[in-house]
Amino acid sequence: MLVLGVETSCDDTAAAVLRDGRSLLANVVSSQDHIHGLYGGVVPELASRQHIQNILPIIDASLQQAGIAVKDLGGIAVTYGPGLVGSLLVGLSVVKALAFRSRIPYVGVNHLEAHLLAIHLEHDVPFPYIALLASGGHTLLYCVKDVGAYAYLGGTRDDAAGEAYDKVAKMMGLGYPGGRIIDDLAKNGNREAIRFPRAHIKKGSYEFSFSGIKTSVWNYLKSQPKDQWKNRMADIAASFQEAVVDMLVKPTVRAATAHGVNRIVFAGGVAANSRLRETMVKKADAEGLKVYFPAPKFCTDNGAMIALAGYYWLKRGRRDDFRLNAHADLTL
Ligand code: KG4
Ligand code: ZN
């Protein structure tokens, strides 16, 4: 079955074509970073306007790349939440129109579920596995038992990990989105240069907290003249990143041990982080765990993961009708 996956939940317009949940025939993403970068974060109104301009060309490009026509599709999958409601509505409305006109079944996909399952685009990972989803909007830890069976273990009490990256990058005048920029900058920095405090989390819980580290970086920057810290940008980036990685890795490994599950899967934009990957691989070796990271292009928002999650549901016989609405706060 050929499935078209469409993603417009935040600021990336993305479409992909997947055959039988296995071979990816096309994966097209149009980023709006150059627009939101001017404001240091996503401006919802601008994001939905950009989606309106981009969505049809991006769908066309994905069909062309796959060498297929709309009539060849066995189903269409589209993100219906969580996300920015204006952005979600663009993808959902276009997919509904396409499905209606061409009489193709379609399903609405939960964006979080798609991130958790993205690993299956490249790896055969048996269920169950512990999955950490760390993105710009979420930091969530699950035990994934099957498609549709997600046991929530914990999440962030305040900022998401990616949000902390983006905010710290903004404070340092580095641009948007900050994750990739800090990741690159940190490669030339000393991780031990500044000891930013790690959040204290209740023993035995799988919670995360990133607002404290954000404030610590802010206080550090304020505590000295700008020309002084400007010379230490790489050290600040590396030290901040080390603290974030530490706070992500510890509860995740603890969850795997406590649940007797030896497979850990990472998902979401922050999973593209090079230091997180390096640290986790070392830790996994030491603890006898198997760790899986999607390729960076499948960590950040993409249509392929939507097509895959949609494929699983379509295969199970799910069909959505045209009353399906966008849900900004959709949970798993
Ligand atoms: O999953 P995603 O594309 O969108 C959401 O659903 O939020 O994640 C975007 C987030 C941004 O906060 C971005 O700064 C972060 O992922 N990110 C990274 C890296 N690449 C993207 N964070 C750390 N290191 C990276 N290499
Ligand atoms: Zn996402």
Side-chain angles (χ1 to χ4, degrees):
M1 189 201 319
L2 287 169
V3 175
L4 170 70
V6 174
E7 155 65 34
T8 62
S9 69
C10 190
D11 61 338
D12 291 319
T13 318
V17 178
L18 187 67
R19 173 176 299 178
D20 298 330
R22 293 233 136 245
S23 15
L24 190 59
L25 306 186
N27 188 39
V28 185
V29 181
S30 166
S31 156
Q32 304 176 9
D33 289 350
H34 58 292
I35 292 162
H36 303 290
L38 301 172
Y39 306 93
V42 177
V43 183
E45 178 60 28
L46 294 182
S48 25
R49 282 193 226 169
Q50 282 302 308
H51 284 308
I52 291 171
Q53 283 187 8
N54 295 341
I55 185 82
L56 291 176
I58 291 297
I59 290 177
D60 278 345
S62 72
L63 295 173
Q64 215 171 61
Q65 207 179 86
I68 63 157
V70 171
K71 66 173 174 41
D72 302 323
L73 292 169
I76 312 180
V78 59
T79 310
Y80 76 109
L84 302 169
V85 76
S87 291
L88 289 165
L89 279 169
V90 177
L92 185 58
S93 311
V94 166
V95 164
K96 279 184 186 174
L98 199 57
F100 182 75
R101 185 199 65 188
S102 313
R103 296 173 201 269
I104 297 168
Y106 92 101
V107 285
V109 166
N110 183 317
H111 183 84
L112 306 176
E113 173 176 48
H115 270 302
L116 292 180
L117 298 174
I119 196 68
H120 301 285
L121 287 165
E122 303 163 283
H123 301 275
D124 285 320
V125 188
F127 296 108
Y129 51 83
I130 299 294
L132 177 73
L133 165 52
S135 68
H138 300 91
T139 307
L140 296 163
L141 194 61
Y142 285 96
C143 181
V144 178
K145 298 179 176 172
D146 198 349
V147 173
Y150 312 104
Y152 174 79
L153 303 179
T156 180
R157 291 197 306 227
D158 38 61
D159 290 351
E163 192 180 352
Y165 266 101
D166 295 338
K167 287 179 176 170
V168 165
K170 192 174 178 180
M171 288 174 203
M172 295 171 70
L174 289 171
Y176 172 86
R180 177 85 180 277
I181 305 171
I182 290 187
D183 191 356
D184 288 342
L185 185 62
K187 288 182 181 136
N188 302 315
N190 173 5
R191 298 189 287 266
E192 315 290 324
I194 308 147
R195 172 81 195 174
F196 289 121
R198 278 65 169 156
H200 285 290
I201 298 300
K202 220 170 48 206
K203 227 178 163 191
S205 93
Y206 302 112
E207 288 191 330
F208 303 85
S209 168
F210 298 101
S211 78
I213 175 109
K214 188 186 64 186
T215 311
S216 301
V217 176
W218 177 247
N219 289 340
Y220 179 83
L221 298 179
K222 289 279 130 199
S223 70
Q224 47 191 294
K226 197 168 178 177
D227 53 338
Q228 257 178 47
W229 65 256
K230 278 275 172 193
N231 292 327
R232 301 196 68 196
M233 296 276 267
D235 285 351
I236 302 169
S239 303
F240 159 75
Q241 176 160 280
E242 198 60 10
V244 173
V245 167
D246 204 21
M247 289 190 280
L248 288 173
V249 165
K250 280 192 178 140
T252 307
V253 170
R254 201 153 40 75
T257 315
H259 288 78
V261 174
N262 74 343
R263 288 172 292 275
I264 300 182
V265 166
F266 284 82
V270 179
N273 185 265
S274 63
R275 181 65 187 154
L276 175 65
R277 288 171 176 247
E278 192 179 276
T279 309
M280 198 52 232
V281 167
K282 256 194 223 147
K283 185 97 182 147
D285 278 352
E287 309 256 343
L289 300 165
K290 275 193 126 175
V291 60
Y292 301 86
F293 282 95
K297 66 179 175 199
F298 301 130
C299 289
T300 46
D301 290 348
N302 64 86
M305 66 180 190
I306 306 302
L308 181 65
Y311 167 77
Y312 289 142
W313 286 113
L314 286 161
K315 216 173 54 170
R316 284 166 157 77
R318 204 180 104 199
R319 303 287 183 265
D320 282 324
D321 68 29
F322 295 106
R323 284 169 300 186
L324 183 71
N325 207 345
H327 291 276
D329 301 322
L330 187 68
T331 52
L332 250 193

